[in-house]
Amino acid sequence: MFLPMKRYLIFLMPLWLLACEVDSPLVAPTREPVTLAVPAHFPQAPIPASNVLTEAKIKLGKQLFFDPILSKDQTLSCASCHPPENAFADPRAFSLGVGGVSGDEPSKRRNAPALFNVVYHQNFFWDGSNPSLETQILFPIESPFEMANKVDTVLKRLRAHPEYPRLFWQTFQDSISAKTLTDAIASFERSLISAGSKFDQFMASGMDSTVFTAAEWRGYKLFFLESAGNNHAECFHCHGGFNFDDPEGRFRNNGLYSFYQDFGRYNVTGNPLDVGKFKVPSLRNIEYTAPYMHDGSLETLEEVLAHYASGGKPHPNRDILIGNIQMTEEEQRDIIAFLMTLSDPDFVNNPAHRPED
Ligand code: HEC
Ligand code: HEC
């Protein structure tokens, strides 16, 4: 069965339709399990048995994601810090919570990461302190530096709402609870598949290099090959796999600082060897997700590449690969040209990712 790339992205296919003709009418019973359609170079998206994916949950989850009802003073929604036009990343270095407050210590002042292909993530937050999308959701609701609310207050409000009790019942055949609330939002987040970039066209073409411009192709080779000339960018060792992150969710120190204000992974493990290690972010849609790094300290890709070309700052935990990197300015520009092929404009413009009014 062949689907052109764009249709791959848009359709959530009910399981019972998978074996049928693509053109059959797609009238999905909303509580039927659906599977996320992804291209062949993506692994099958893992859905937990405890929260089977349905179109109804995705729809309700989207409504909740965009609804400020979740925050204490009803001013902030998830999308306030995760706007869809920036691939759900915050364009501000640090997000501001209810009342304009920011975190009282460095590990609570982090750049809000993009949300796409999160269905594949092994852990959540820059230090990996959260194990699942479902448990993650309770954190921003209750954090005094984010929504500053209480889950019980949210549940009371939703139960008193003119629409939500009916919508939850239709979706779950169950009432409003922390479980149904988080299951719905997590389902929406899982539906955020981004696989429509020029790089994905290249993969779908059987890796035909003519898909790329000369500069993009030079950048591709520098990114992936250790033997491209005398210089090597080493990027793929850490930003690897179909999603350009660490498929196993490992943490690395990329030499951003000699002294880290935010100790990163160390905050979770207490192991001195983890100071300054952070989750490796995906480089897909990087064009839309500035500023960069856990603290949003680098504003442009030029600054990011200059950072890597310098070999990073000395730190006992700096990854050995970082010190090895060598790139001329022209090579840095070529890598940026390649990184631009990871943009998925259909993803950031997808009306299915915007609130319905
Ligand atoms: C006030 C801003 C703010 C709000 C509101 C907010 N977030 Fe976030 N979000 C952040 C920040 C900052 C981080 C990074 C925190 C960290 O790494 O410690 C984050 C991280 C995440 C992550 C982890 C992504 C990853 O791959 O590690 C997910 C998922 C997420 N938020 C979803 C949500 C959802 C769902 C909501 C609404 C219930 C929400 N956020 C509300 C700021 C916000
Ligand atoms: C040793 C592993 C490693 C290597 C090699 C590496 N990176 Fe990174 N990269 C990381 C980590 C870890 C972060 C997050 C660091 C932080 O936030 O403090 C990161 C962050 C980034 C970011 C910011 C992403 C965001 O959403 O904020 C970009 C862009 C980036 N790297 C590009 C590259 C490029 C291009 C190369 C090759 C020249 C490269 N990286 C090589 C580990 C690596």
Side-chain angles (χ1 to χ4, degrees):
M1 178 173 66
F2 175 78
L3 287 171
M5 190 60 70
K6 282 193 180 149
R7 300 180 69 195
Y8 259 124
L9 298 179
I10 291 162
F11 287 162
L12 298 161
M13 257 184 293
L15 286 172
W16 51 266
L17 257 185
L18 269 180
C20 311
E21 274 298 301
V22 176
D23 290 337
S24 32
L26 205 108
V27 213
T30 57
R31 284 195 311 276
E32 282 294 315
V34 289
T35 183
L36 292 166
V38 292
H41 58 283
F42 274 48
Q44 186 66 48
I47 305 294
S50 55
N51 186 13
V52 171
L53 196 66
T54 69
E55 281 183 20
K57 286 187 200 173
I58 294 170
K59 192 164 190 284
L60 176 60
K62 176 167 99 170
Q63 188 168 342
L64 291 161
F65 187 91
F66 287 100
D67 196 334
I69 197 171
L70 300 184
S71 62
K72 182 176 184 179
D73 61 358
Q74 314 217 29
T75 56
L76 287 187
S77 72
C78 306
S80 306
C81 302
H82 297 283
E85 58 275 20
N86 293 95
F88 298 95
D90 199 331
R92 303 166 294 185
F94 300 127
S95 310
L96 297 178
V98 161
V101 296
S102 65
D104 58 355
E105 54 179 85
S107 67
K108 295 183 178 134
R109 287 192 299 271
R110 290 179 178 160
N111 181 242
L115 303 178
F116 57 80
N117 301 345
V118 288
V119 63
Y120 296 103
H121 287 195
Q122 306 283 328
N123 48 54
F124 299 90
F125 294 148
W126 283 100
D127 54 16
S129 55
N130 211 285
S132 78
L133 280 172
E134 281 80 0
T135 54
Q136 190 282 328
I137 291 155
L138 301 174
F139 186 89
I141 292 178
E142 298 216 328
S143 164
F145 309 110
E146 299 186 35
M147 295 173 146
N149 211 346
K150 292 277 171 265
V151 173
D152 280 346
T153 310
V154 173
L155 299 178
K156 274 192 207 119
R157 277 189 201 158
L158 292 172
R159 285 177 191 133
H161 190 271
E163 272 181 48
Y164 277 120
R166 179 179 58 83
L167 292 174
F168 272 79
W169 185 259
Q170 277 175 1
T171 303
F172 292 100
Q173 300 283 284
D174 201 350
S175 55
I176 294 173
S177 64
K179 160 106 177 111
T180 49
L181 169 69
T182 56
D183 278 4
I185 298 178
S187 296
F188 170 62
E189 294 180 279
R190 290 196 174 95
S191 77
L192 301 173
I193 296 288
S194 174
S197 67
K198 192 172 191 180
F199 173 79
D200 295 302
Q201 283 169 34
F202 164 73
M203 292 305 286
S205 73
M207 302 177 82
D208 172 4
S209 63
T210 63
V211 168
F212 290 132
T213 65
E216 289 164 357
W217 182 236
R218 287 195 302 272
Y220 169 93
K221 287 189 288 192
L222 282 160
F223 189 97
F224 280 106
L225 302 181
E226 288 166 292
S227 56
N230 295 321
N231 292 350
H232 26 259
E234 315 281 1
C235 316
F236 80 101
H237 290 293
C238 300
H239 301 276
F242 72 100
N243 204 31
F244 295 85
D245 56 9
D246 187 317
E248 285 161 46
R250 282 172 299 199
F251 304 88
R252 305 273 202 152
N253 177 316
N254 73 346
L256 194 58
Y257 297 114
S258 295
F259 177 77
Y260 282 82
Q261 290 200 313
D262 182 343
F263 282 10
R265 184 65 179 162
Y266 171 88
N267 294 327
V268 178
T269 63
N271 181 347
L273 295 175
D274 285 335
V275 172
K277 289 192 183 167
F278 291 88
K279 180 169 156 170
V280 181
S282 171
L283 300 184
R284 285 180 175 274
N285 295 310
I286 201 74
E287 180 181 0
Y288 312 119
T289 65
Y292 304 111
M293 306 297 166
H294 67 276
D295 56 359
S297 56
L298 300 184
E299 282 175 19
T300 64
L301 288 174
E302 284 73 15
E303 286 173 43
V304 172
L305 269 291
H307 158 71
Y308 283 114
S310 75
K313 305 268 176 18
H315 186 280
N317 296 336
R318 180 184 61 179
D319 202 289
I320 193 154
L321 289 164
I322 302 291
N324 284 344
I325 294 176
Q326 284 181 28
M327 299 178 282
T328 64
E329 282 185 16
E330 197 191 340
E331 287 169 329
Q332 294 171 45
R333 281 196 291 275
D334 288 343
I335 292 179
I336 293 176
F338 169 65
L339 293 178
M340 293 293 144
T341 73
L342 304 179
S343 298
D344 181 352
D346 289 343
F347 178 78
V348 289
N349 295 317
N350 191 341
H353 301 160
R354 297 292 163 91
E356 284 158 34
D357 25 43

